[in-house]
Amino acid sequence: MLFWIEVLVSLFLLVGSAFALVGAIGLYRLPDFFTRLHGPTKATTLGVGGIVIGSMIFFSHQGEGLSMHEILITLFLFLTAPVSAHVLAKAAMQQKLPVTAKTRGKPWD
């Protein structure tokens, strides 16, 4: 494998892993449900996207061409993550979950 392909794949894997780590830390550290919702939906989506792009580059260079698996994973991820976050936020608003004083925008008040 060419050196610059290895560097590019490694870069995407490291960036994707860093975003996934930040998303996991955000899920653990943020104070209430509404702020915790951003960790997995924003940072982790970018993390998995970076890892999938690295996988696409690696396997397309192996001679098999562009794989449909990675394209479908990316499409599915970028379509379902915002929808599931919206549904979870709406359900939390209906349940009137407690929020911290720093959380802005309380539509149920």
Side-chain angles (χ1 to χ4, degrees), residues 12-82:
F12 275 110
L13 289 177
L14 287 173
V15 168
S17 299
F19 272 114
L21 179 66
V22 167
I25 291 171
L27 180 64
Y28 176 71
R29 296 280 316 251
L30 291 171
D32 64 354
F33 176 80
F34 295 101
T35 56
R36 274 191 213 121
L37 191 60
H38 292 285
T41 57
K42 305 286 187 283
T44 309
T45 302
L46 289 173
V48 172
I51 292 170
V52 169
I53 289 171
S55 173
M56 285 174 60
I57 294 169
F58 177 77
F59 286 112
S60 65
H61 185 265
Q62 294 294 328
E64 298 176 8
L66 193 60
S67 174
M68 285 299 292
H69 294 98
E70 285 92 358
I71 294 171
L72 290 174
I73 290 169
T74 305
L75 181 68
F76 180 76
L77 179 71
F78 285 122
L79 288 177
T80 58

